[in-house]
Amino acid sequence: MFFLAMSVSLTTYAQNGGLDIDINIGKPEWYEQTWVWIVGAAVFILVLVAILRKKR
C-alpha cells in the first residue's frame, strides 16, 4: 500500500513539468470565416426547400 501511494505521488509530480505552448493567432481557418457559414446555411435551406417541395 505504501508503494502504491508513493508511485501515485511520483506520477503526479512528474506531470508538473513546465509546458511551452505556442499559440499562433494568425490567419483564420476557412471554417472560421463568417461568409462560409452564411453560404452554407443558404445552401442548406435551398436543399431543404427542394426536398420538401418534391414530396408534395
Side-chain angles (χ1 to χ4, degrees):
M1 190 63 135
F2 177 75
F3 178 72
L4 180 63
M6 292 305 289
S7 65
V8 169
S9 171
L10 288 176
T11 304
T12 58
Y13 180 73
Q15 293 179 1
N16 197 15
L19 295 176
D20 184 22
I21 299 174
D22 183 22
I23 298 175
N24 186 7
I25 306 177
K27 182 180 172 188
E29 298 292 330
W30 64 270
Y31 52 82
E32 294 176 348
Q33 300 288 335
T34 306
W35 68 269
V36 173
W37 287 98
I38 293 171
V39 170
V43 169
F44 177 75
I45 290 171
L46 287 175
V47 169
L48 191 63
V49 167
I51 289 172
L52 292 176
R53 277 190 177 229
K54 191 167 187 162
K55 287 188 177 184
R56 288 185 182 177

